[in-house]
Amino acid sequence: MKLVVAIVQNQDSKRLADEFVENGIRATKLSSTGGFLRAGNTTFLMGVEDRKVDETLELIKENCSTRSQTMMSPPSYDFTLESDLTYPVNVEVGGATIFVLPIDQFLQF
Ligand code: 2BA
């Protein structure tokens, strides 16, 4: 069994959660925040049988899109004339960031 941790954009999370239910993949959905953009995203925790890992990854791939997001650059710490100027920067986010980890024990009491 593997622990699949998938960080996805909020816009994709409902459709993906529906797909997990339809395909018998158990998941826990957490509200999370990206460290860089400081914007909300969604983290799914899934305990997945080894034989279903590929199917799980394929579902995530099919349902998560890459999007471009605009953020303001942090002000520069270089004390030049333009030092406190910020400007819009485009950042590509997603589709999904995924970690697949081995599970030592899976217990339910
Ligand atoms: P954020 O940390 O808010 O990052 C959003 C997007 O900003 C990233 O998209 C990436 O394109 C860009 N980015 C992040 N850190 C950057 C940096 N230091 N310099 C320049 N650009 C940077 P994704 O790579 O698709 O990541 C989407 C979200 O997945 C991240 O949101 C974060 O919540 C999570 N994530 C990504 N890589 C991770 C990692 N190695 N460990 C834990 N969480 C990760």
Side-chain angles (χ1 to χ4, degrees):
M1 196 177 209
K2 297 284 189 294
L3 176 65
V4 178
V5 179
I7 304 162
V8 310
Q9 294 177 69
N10 287 341
Q11 296 97 311
D12 297 321
S13 65
K14 186 181 178 310
R15 191 176 55 235
L16 189 56
D18 290 345
E19 289 287 339
F20 287 149
V21 172
E22 269 179 37
N23 289 277
I25 294 164
R26 291 195 173 196
T28 295
K29 191 170 163 251
L30 307 174
S31 293
S32 44
T33 305
F36 188 66
L37 291 179
R38 316 280 162 97
N41 53 27
T42 302
T43 300
F44 285 95
L45 297 182
M46 287 158 283
V48 182
E49 297 293 339
D50 285 337
R51 65 188 165 77
K52 292 195 89 172
V53 168
D54 287 345
E55 182 193 342
T56 304
L57 298 180
E58 197 54 41
L59 277 180
I60 298 170
K61 197 172 169 186
E62 280 169 10
N63 286 282
C64 296
S65 313
T66 301
R67 295 184 183 86
S68 181
Q69 208 156 313
T70 305
M71 65 176 286
M72 295 309 288
S73 69
S76 163
Y77 293 105
D78 179 9
F79 294 102
T80 63
L81 208 58
E82 296 116 335
S83 62
D84 57 355
L85 284 184
T86 61
Y87 48 91
V89 179
N90 271 336
V91 178
E92 289 272 301
V93 187
T97 298
I98 301 168
F99 304 89
V100 181
L101 298 91
I103 293 180
D104 279 347
Q105 283 188 302
F106 172 66
L107 306 168
Q108 287 182 304
F109 295 116

